[in-house]
Amino acid sequence: MAADGAGTASSAFGPVLEALKVMKGTGERSQKAEAHTFLETFQKSESAWQTTGAMLQASNLAPEELLFAATTLKGKIVYDLHQLPRETLPGLRDSLLALLAHFKSGPRPIRTQLCVCLADLAIQMLEWKNVIQLVVSTLGSDSESGTCILEFLRILPEEVTEGRKINLTEEELKVRTEELLDENAQQVLKLLIGYSQSSASAATNPLLLECITSWLREVGAADVVKSPLLDVIFHALASEPAFDSAVECLCAIFVETREVDEYMDSVALLYPRVLALRPKIVEASADEDLEVFKGYTRIFAEAGEAWVVLIIRAPAEFRGLVEAILECAARDKDKEAVSLTFKFWYELKLLLTIERNIEIRVLMVDIYSKLVDIMIKHLEFPAPESGDETDLFDGDREQEDKFREYRHSMGDVLKDCCEVIGPTECLSKAFVLIQRWVTSYGSQAAENKLPNWQELEAPLFSMRSMGSKVDAKEENTILPQIMPLIVQIPYHEKVRFQSIMAVARYTEWVAAHPTFLDSQLQFIISAFNSNSPEVIRAAALALKFFCQDCRHLLGGYMEQIQQFYDSILDKLVTSSQEEVTEGVASLVAAQSIDNIFKYFKLFCDPVVERLKRSANLAQDDEGKLKVADQLQLVSIFFDYIAPTTPPGTENPGVQYCAEVFPILGALVDNFLTCSPISAPLLPILAKMLTTGFAKSRQGCFLWTTDAIVREFAEGAEYVDKETSDQIYAFFEHQALSFLRALNDLPPVDLPDVIEDFFRLVTDALLYYPNRLILSELIEPILRAAMASLTLQQTEPLTATLHFLRDFLQYGGDNPPNSSGEKNPPEVKAAVKKLILVEGETLTQAILTGMMFHFTRDCFPDASGVLLGLVQLMPNEITQWIARTLQKLPAGTLQQVEAQRLLNRTNEVIQADTPQKVRYLLQDFTNSYRRRNVAPREGLGRLEATRFRFNG
């Protein structure tokens, strides 16, 4: 790594500096792309070892250039150490120690990267046994060296924990972990104690606290707590530079003491000291020091989470901790710290609501009662400093979004309170606040002008949040008093929005208390007259739930609701149209069988008329989207209105479907499809879908085909064999059309179609396994699946991998079906015969995808396919893997690494533990991918072949 002179060094890294200059400058994008490619290639080259060393030893480079060199060197040590002869590693170690000594006073980012370099080298340099001793003795004992040693010690456990990124076997990593961490834990503890006692500044060095946190698991929380370091940690809370690190360290100790029976001695030492910090809550709140206040809130909250079991066991002793957490929530003026307490309240609630803890729950009622008051107060919108009621957050959209999200989390805390002290008690608090507002400001209220409206809106929001915990039939105390008040509140956008949402939450309660039915319905309907899109969207949601939950009570309102539905439908946004339609459709479905057809026509005919008009006018994408939206409304009616009638009786759903089907069929013929289906219409629908897909090659036709296969497949209720046979023939037609499409176009042009097709094939395999696997179609379908594995989008890859996993299981005794029937020998033989021919190509496609382009979400399914191959072809899989590895780009995989993988694969197969092969290959491909994020040259011989089909 040493340079051979100034001139040689400069010429060695000159091109690198020029490329960095281009990347940093404002030049052309093409120049930056070229520079990026150059630097990426350089970082993976063998020459980078010498060049980065020369750069780090140069005296005239800018900090960012030095940082690039250090970062590159880190990557070389993690991924490319195999490029160096083993005997040169001691020299590399010594060079790193010399560089660390040179940069011990900074800049810190460079020093940090060099510490990471040394830690990663220590993990891989198995023969280096005295790592910590050598680092300490080499770097010296002055204050700057002490800081450098601390940084190395902080980083070492983190890098060992992330050791899977380093190319070591599991056994080597396990042994190295014991050598570097476990065997050094007590020595590190002594070093940290010694350093903390060396000077006052050392005791408040944030790196010391970070180092304690990093080694906590290895040293043991109990040893730290009973050592002088505990005083250091608590005293550091008084130091501004060390405060955050001290908080982090304390909270890490709390986590380690969660197993309270094991750590009772440690908790006994910690708890009094934590409780003694309570005055700091008042102090930080009075000083309006938000960061310090958040730090103390976190200390109390995380101590509570860790020791929540002890709060139940000894409620009197630990009540002070609960009260401190409550005080943190109450004093949080900025609403920035209270969220840190939410998890504690939830975990305490879980234990309090266990039946055997009923007595403890009674002791905590006053705490949770106060918590309700605090949460409702925090729910209040801020009063804008500018006085502009239309901009409550003074233009800070991020703060507004954060507040909205945070309100819903507080709503969850209110639900927890309901479980502890009962929903009636919680609702009564909201009611008192609403009453108080009416008493104080009701006489001053007018349309769009509600004084201090925040004090009214917050309890309404709380009421809405607590709705899921209220028993619709048993709550007869508070809601009968609140509901009449809500519908009388004058209009104010935010208050009306919250009122409507509250009403939407209690529609089940209204269904159980029908005297409120008419007033609630009229209140919801009146909200559609608002000028606020937010209020109208809330009203649409409320009407949906109202119709669904009160459907059996609204028979006398059908004509009124239909007229209203027809009058407002065109004024709503698409999502609200769908919600209102779901409501009225569920209302129609609840009517008597004799009336369903009449109301089906009454509600759906106007929608179908809109659909016809839109279809006639649709000339562009916008027009077609409008048709699609209206078609979705029709589909909602068919989804919800599915009456069951005795055999031989005319079904009103099918009767109406037959009436409108010519219109829907014409749409399918032109450019779209719809999902409503029923047995009498299947032949027509199948013909339209087959023709439609052949002409358009749009995935929606396959999606609808899949819906039909699932609904009318073999074994489905009321489906005879003739219908089932027609369904399979229908599937075959669609499969042939797809295979022809994939023959004409590359997979990259058909990602959505591929996704829909393999979801369809997976269902066909589930319902018609024997017929499909023994057919001539299965071979081209398998080849199409392998061709589709070149895609990079998660959804089509996932659908394809699911098909492959299911298909491979039919080669064994436990296929993925629920029938319980044995897998026929001829089916197993057909799968194995096909895999014997295509298995190597499939193995190559899966491994290549995992190494180069599969998204992270695809890895479990991809490794699942490999597991299926191992289970099906244990004697052949190792050869297939070996031939795949031979085709990897030159220089990206060492022969020793490949042989180690193959040997390990053979070992686990021989040991009859195929599951281990799955994780072995997953770890290998992860490691390869990290070292070769992008192929250094093209994929070369691993390029997939083009799918061909002559059917």
Side-chain angles (χ1 to χ4, degrees):
M1 225 170 66
D4 296 327
T8 305
S10 178
S11 62
F13 56 71
V16 176
L17 298 183
E18 284 299 317
L20 288 171
K21 186 177 179 182
V22 171
M23 292 291 293
K24 191 178 174 184
T26 57
E28 295 290 330
R29 177 177 291 184
S30 59
Q31 293 177 317
K32 290 194 172 189
E34 187 177 339
H36 183 275
T37 302
F38 169 80
L39 291 173
E40 190 178 61
T41 303
F42 160 74
Q43 287 182 312
K44 296 172 184 175
S45 68
E46 292 191 24
S47 63
W49 291 104
Q50 190 81 5
T51 304
T52 53
M55 290 176 71
L56 287 165
Q57 293 176 36
S59 58
N60 58 344
L61 296 189
E64 60 268 22
E65 294 166 342
L66 291 169
L67 182 59
F68 173 80
T71 304
T72 299
L73 184 56
K74 178 188 71 175
K76 300 299 291 179
I77 291 172
V78 172
Y79 302 124
D80 295 332
L81 200 62
H82 62 270
Q83 292 176 347
L84 296 179
R86 199 76 192 174
E87 61 271 17
T88 65
L89 297 189
L92 175 60
R93 175 193 63 195
D94 295 343
S95 296
L96 284 171
L97 285 167
L99 286 170
L100 260 180
H102 177 69
F103 287 102
K104 64 184 179 182
S105 59
R108 183 173 179 180
I110 298 168
R111 186 182 69 205
T112 300
Q113 289 299 318
L114 290 172
C115 285
V116 175
C117 288
L118 192 60
D120 288 332
L121 178 62
I123 296 168
Q124 297 178 82
M125 196 172 166
L126 306 180
E127 61 272 26
W128 184 12
K129 303 298 183 182
N130 62 335
V131 174
I132 291 177
Q133 297 93 319
L134 183 61
V135 171
V136 172
S137 62
T138 303
L139 292 178
S141 58
D142 59 277
S143 61
E144 289 181 342
S145 295
T147 297
C148 192
I149 292 168
L150 284 177
E151 183 138 37
F152 173 75
L153 290 176
R154 175 185 67 81
I155 286 168
L156 183 61
E158 296 171 3
E159 291 302 301
V160 173
T161 303
E162 293 295 319
R164 295 186 78 84
K165 70 184 179 184
I166 289 173
N167 191 27
L168 293 178
T169 65
E170 289 183 18
E171 186 59 33
E172 287 172 336
L173 185 58
K174 180 182 176 183
V175 171
R176 202 58 178 149
T177 300
E178 291 174 359
E179 290 177 348
L180 292 174
L181 302 185
D182 299 348
E183 294 175 10
N184 285 312
Q186 289 307 307
Q187 181 190 355
V188 169
L189 180 61
K190 290 175 183 176
L191 280 171
L192 297 179
I193 293 171
Y195 178 82
S196 70
Q197 295 171 344
S198 63
S199 68
S201 61
T204 56
N205 186 342
L207 265 175
L208 169 65
L209 297 154
E210 291 169 18
C211 206
I212 297 170
T213 304
S214 187
W215 279 85
L216 193 60
R217 185 162 294 175
E218 285 69 33
V219 170
D223 286 349
V224 171
V225 169
K226 67 185 180 185
S227 77
L229 291 177
L230 188 63
D231 286 333
V232 172
I233 297 166
F234 275 97
H235 290 155
L237 292 170
S239 166
E240 185 177 342
F243 179 77
D244 289 340
S245 299
V247 170
E248 188 68 41
C249 189
L250 265 181
C251 291
I253 291 173
F254 298 153
V255 170
E256 290 298 313
T257 60
R258 286 185 77 97
E259 297 296 330
V260 291
D261 292 323
E262 183 181 343
Y263 287 96
M264 279 306 299
D265 292 342
S266 298
V267 175
L269 291 171
L270 285 165
Y271 180 56
R273 302 195 68 161
V274 171
L275 212 56
L277 297 174
R278 188 169 174 181
K280 297 291 184 181
I281 302 171
V282 181
E283 188 179 313
S285 178
D287 293 343
E288 297 185 350
D289 191 331
L290 176 60
E291 293 308 312
V292 171
F293 184 82
K294 286 172 69 175
Y296 283 113
T297 300
R298 186 180 169 201
I299 288 172
F300 285 110
E302 296 201 23
E305 291 168 25
W307 305 333
V308 67
V309 172
L310 295 177
I311 295 172
I312 299 298
R313 290 182 188 172
E317 185 180 346
F318 282 88
R319 184 180 174 89
L321 179 58
V322 182
E323 290 176 341
I325 299 169
L326 186 72
E327 185 176 1
C328 288
R331 291 185 180 276
D332 184 19
K333 302 171 189 173
D334 297 300
K335 304 179 184 180
E336 291 281 348
V338 65
S339 60
L340 298 171
T341 71
F342 292 168
K343 185 179 178 185
F344 166 73
W345 298 119
Y346 171 73
E347 294 198 354
L348 182 58
K349 178 266 299 189
L350 289 179
L351 295 179
L352 289 173
T353 51
I354 296 173
E355 191 61 36
R356 67 172 180 269
N357 294 330
I358 184 67
E359 293 181 7
I360 314 302
R361 191 194 316 172
V362 172
L363 296 176
M364 293 291 171
V365 163
D366 64 320
I367 295 280
Y368 273 86
S369 181
K370 292 173 184 174
L371 183 60
V372 175
D373 297 329
I374 292 167
M375 289 296 117
I376 295 178
K377 186 63 181 174
H378 280 319
L379 285 172
E380 290 182 11
F381 272 99
E385 293 179 9
S386 64
D388 182 3
E389 287 284 339
T390 62
D391 190 3
L392 299 174
F393 294 86
D394 298 316
D396 191 340
R397 296 280 80 84
E398 183 181 348
Q399 190 64 27
E400 182 175 358
D401 292 340
K402 185 178 177 182
F403 178 72
R404 290 179 188 277
E405 181 180 343
Y406 147 93
R407 286 184 111 202
H408 288 288
S409 297
M410 282 195 289
D412 292 336
V413 178
L414 287 169
K415 293 185 184 76
D416 294 337
C417 294
C418 287
E419 292 190 55
V420 175
I421 65 176
T424 299
E425 176 67 22
C426 293
L427 278 176
S428 69
K429 289 179 172 291
F431 177 49
V432 166
L433 290 171
I434 293 171
Q435 274 188 318
R436 185 181 300 164
W437 184 91
V438 172
T439 303
S440 302
Y441 307 109
S443 60
Q444 306 169 41
E447 289 292 308
N448 291 306
K449 188 176 181 182
L450 298 184
N452 291 353
W453 61 267
Q454 290 93 335
E455 295 177 19
L456 176 60
E457 192 269 353
L460 287 170
F461 183 96
S462 73
M463 187 183 151
R464 165 191 165 194
S465 298
M466 296 183 285
S468 63
K469 301 300 178 182
V470 176
D471 189 301
K473 294 180 180 178
E474 293 186 7
E475 178 15 62
N476 299 309
T477 308
I478 304 299
L479 287 176
Q481 300 178 72
I482 292 182
M483 287 303 182
L485 280 178
I486 288 178
V487 299
Q488 295 175 39
I489 296 171
Y491 184 85
H492 177 282
E493 181 184 359
K494 285 206 162 29
V495 174
R496 181 57 55 92
F497 172 82
Q498 216 51 256
S499 302
I500 291 291
M501 293 300 284
V503 166
R505 198 66 194 78
Y506 289 91
T507 49
E508 287 185 27
W509 182 87
V510 174
H513 299 78
T515 54
F516 294 92
L517 187 74
D518 188 69
S519 62
Q520 297 289 300
L521 177 59
Q522 302 312 321
F523 182 64
I524 294 171
I525 288 175
S526 68
F528 284 91
N529 296 322
S530 171
N531 293 323
S532 166
E534 291 281 334
V535 172
I536 292 174
R537 278 196 286 269
L541 188 65
L543 185 60
K544 168 189 169 179
F545 291 138
F546 193 84
C547 289
Q548 289 178 338
D549 293 332
C550 303
R551 60 189 180 277
H552 298 295
L553 303 172
L554 291 170
Y557 291 84
M558 295 297 284
E559 281 75 13
Q560 179 190 346
I561 292 175
Q562 189 279 326
Q563 290 171 9
F564 175 71
Y565 172 70
D566 192 36
S567 68
I568 54 96
L569 191 61
D570 295 332
K571 302 173 185 177
L572 303 178
V573 297
T574 302
S575 59
S576 293
Q577 287 181 339
E578 292 177 3
E579 286 167 348
V580 172
T581 302
E582 287 175 26
V584 298
S586 62
L587 186 57
V588 171
Q591 304 311 302
S592 66
I593 198 74
D594 297 333
N595 288 322
I596 283 182
F597 179 73
K598 176 180 73 172
Y599 288 128
F600 207 155
K601 276 184 66 66
L602 181 67
F603 279 88
C604 198
D605 273 358
V607 180
V608 173
E609 285 303 314
R610 286 178 173 84
L611 179 60
K612 286 165 61 178
R613 289 196 299 269
S614 298
N616 290 332
L617 296 172
Q619 300 297 326
D620 54 17
D621 288 344
E622 185 178 349
K624 291 178 181 179
L625 284 174
K626 187 175 181 181
V627 173
D629 290 341
Q630 290 172 342
L631 188 59
Q632 176 63 19
L633 300 184
V634 176
S635 298
I636 289 170
F637 277 107
F638 282 106
D639 286 341
Y640 276 80
I641 306 171
T644 302
T645 55
T649 306
E650 187 172 33
N651 188 302
V654 174
Q655 185 183 356
Y656 185 72
C657 187
E659 193 171 290
V660 300
F661 196 78
I663 301 166
L664 303 179
L667 292 175
V668 172
D669 238 0
N670 292 327
F671 49 85
L672 281 172
T673 187
C674 64
S675 59
I677 51 178
S678 56
L681 304 168
L682 273 176
I684 306 169
L685 185 58
K687 181 179 179 182
M688 289 180 173
L689 291 173
T690 304
T691 306
F693 178 63
K695 288 181 180 178
S696 72
R697 293 177 176 175
Q698 293 296 311
C700 59
F701 292 94
L702 297 178
W703 181 90
T704 308
T705 302
D706 191 17
I708 293 173
V709 168
R710 290 196 304 269
E711 189 71 22
F712 296 97
E714 209 163 63
E717 193 175 8
Y718 303 127
V719 176
D720 56 33
K721 186 176 185 306
E722 182 182 354
T723 300
S724 178
D725 290 343
Q726 290 175 351
I727 294 299
Y728 182 76
F730 173 35
F731 157 74
E732 281 191 323
H733 282 300
Q734 297 292 59
L736 285 168
S737 295
F738 168 80
L739 295 169
R740 291 174 187 133
L742 194 60
N743 182 68
D744 297 340
L745 295 169
V748 71
D749 291 342
L750 298 166
D752 294 337
V753 179
I754 286 171
E755 178 188 353
D756 289 325
F757 176 71
F758 281 106
R759 294 197 188 286
L760 166 62
V761 175
T762 301
D763 282 334
L765 190 62
L766 176 65
Y767 296 114
Y768 301 96
N770 301 356
R771 202 180 300 193
L772 177 56
I773 290 173
L774 298 176
S775 74
E776 294 180 357
L777 271 180
I778 194 63
E779 183 178 348
I781 286 174
L782 179 62
R783 286 191 284 107
M786 293 187 290
S788 300
L789 293 176
T790 57
L791 292 171
Q792 297 187 15
Q793 298 97 322
T794 300
E795 290 76 14
L797 280 173
T798 300
T800 306
L801 292 167
H802 283 177
F803 159 70
L804 289 168
R805 292 187 70 176
D806 286 359
F807 172 71
L808 290 172
Q809 287 187 63
Y810 278 96
D813 295 325
N814 298 300
N817 62 48
S818 57
S819 65
E821 296 179 3
K822 285 189 176 181
N823 196 21
E826 61 271 23
V827 170
K828 290 191 282 188
V831 173
K832 289 181 179 178
K833 180 180 178 182
L834 190 51
I835 293 303
L836 199 59
V837 176
E838 301 290 351
E840 182 173 342
T841 306
L842 178 56
T843 302
Q844 179 176 301
I846 295 291
L847 283 175
T848 302
M850 292 177 73
M851 286 188 283
F852 291 108
H853 66 268
F854 283 179
T855 61
R856 188 63 49 195
D857 291 341
C858 294
F859 268 53
D861 287 317
S863 62
V865 174
L866 291 174
L867 173 62
L869 288 167
V870 169
Q871 292 170 327
L872 204 59
M873 297 288 174
N875 298 324
E876 290 79 11
I877 185 69
T878 308
Q879 300 170 32
W880 295 341
I881 294 171
R883 287 197 281 268
T884 299
L885 298 183
Q886 290 169 6
K887 296 178 182 179
L888 288 169
T892 63
L893 181 68
Q894 293 298 300
Q895 180 59 37
V896 63
E897 185 183 353
Q899 194 57 51
R900 183 166 60 195
L901 172 68
L902 296 173
N903 291 343
R904 187 75 180 120
T905 302
N906 271 324
E907 287 172 13
V908 296
I909 290 175
Q910 294 301 320
D912 196 24
T913 52
Q915 281 285 357
K916 289 187 177 180
V917 177
R918 176 180 188 175
Y919 300 116
L920 188 68
L921 293 172
Q922 193 165 306
D923 287 347
F924 165 77
T925 53
N926 276 331
S927 173
Y928 183 91
R929 189 168 186 160
R930 278 191 294 262
R931 284 179 284 137
N932 305 274
V933 176
R936 303 186 185 200
E937 300 169 359
L939 285 181
R941 292 179 295 159
L942 285 176
E943 293 282 4
T945 54
R946 177 71 187 272
F947 174 75
R948 298 295 180 195
F949 178 66
N950 298 317

